[in-house]
Amino acid sequence: KSIEAGADDESYRYTLAEEDLGKQNFDAALEHAERALEILETKQSPAGISAEQWEQYKTKMTAYANFVTGRAWVGRDSKDAYRTGRTYLLETVDVLKAEGGERYNLLAYYLGICYAQLDVKGDNVKQALRWMTEAANSPGPVQEQARQALAKLQAAI
């Protein structure tokens, strides 16, 4: 309702993107995440926030918006979508790895999927194994799925 009333805020857009992604409404998730990124590119530091705090916030929110964007692309389930999704997901690695937790578990799993889907028998297999191992060893919502996928990857090579 706030967005409809004209309060176009990056955190609102991110929340809506996550919500739409949960509903597998990939187009709407992409729209909200891309709008969040646009807002972050042009928004000035709010009053009362230091330049350093603002940059930290922008870095984190940019990573979150890229995280949603990457997962939305992966949900489209095609070679081009995996390639595009992987690009966005790789942009988030530093922030999400430092943060740890569920987002990092999901990130590692999705990157493992991207690399596996793009080329299980070629150069990407090492990256698929790397990321799926990270997901299997990171507590989170897809840890068990990652363990199973890792076993399948290892059996395929």
Side-chain angles (χ1 to χ4, degrees):
K1 290 184 177 189
S2 294
I3 289 174
E4 290 172 4
D8 205 11
D9 180 84
E10 70 282 350
S11 63
Y12 296 164
R13 291 290 183 161
Y14 166 71
T15 300
L16 291 171
E18 283 286 1
E19 185 177 304
D20 284 330
L21 189 61
K23 296 175 185 174
Q24 295 190 350
N25 186 347
F26 303 124
D27 291 339
L30 283 170
E31 181 181 321
H32 289 300
E34 289 170 357
R35 182 64 189 132
L37 290 168
E38 290 170 4
I39 293 168
L40 286 164
E41 285 179 19
T42 60
K43 189 172 183 177
Q44 299 298 311
S45 175
I49 295 179
S50 72
E52 182 180 330
Q53 290 171 320
W54 178 240
E55 283 306 312
Q56 289 173 346
Y57 173 80
K58 280 177 46 174
T59 298
K60 180 177 89 169
M61 286 306 295
T62 297
Y64 287 3
N66 281 327
F67 183 51
V68 172
T69 302
R71 290 182 295 147
W73 275 104
V74 170
R76 291 181 171 186
D77 193 25
S78 73
K79 294 283 187 193
D80 286 339
Y82 289 118
R83 208 168 278 111
T84 301
R86 178 181 64 185
T87 300
Y88 281 97
L89 293 171
L90 286 170
E91 292 289 322
T92 72
V93 171
D94 292 340
V95 171
L96 297 186
K97 186 172 185 176
E99 185 179 274
E102 290 186 6
R103 280 190 187 97
Y104 184 66
N105 172 253
L106 286 165
L107 170 66
Y109 179 75
Y110 275 91
L111 281 170
I113 294 293
C114 286
Y115 281 107
Q117 289 294 329
L118 289 171
D119 185 11
V120 173
K121 293 182 173 65
D123 294 338
N124 288 323
V125 71
K126 288 179 185 175
Q127 289 298 324
L129 287 169
R130 172 189 173 216
W131 286 109
M132 206 53 78
T133 299
E134 283 283 313
N137 293 328
S138 301
V142 293
Q143 186 175 22
E144 185 55 38
Q145 289 171 286
R147 288 179 179 152
Q148 293 170 14
L150 180 59
K152 287 178 186 177
L153 280 169
Q154 289 170 330
I157 55 172

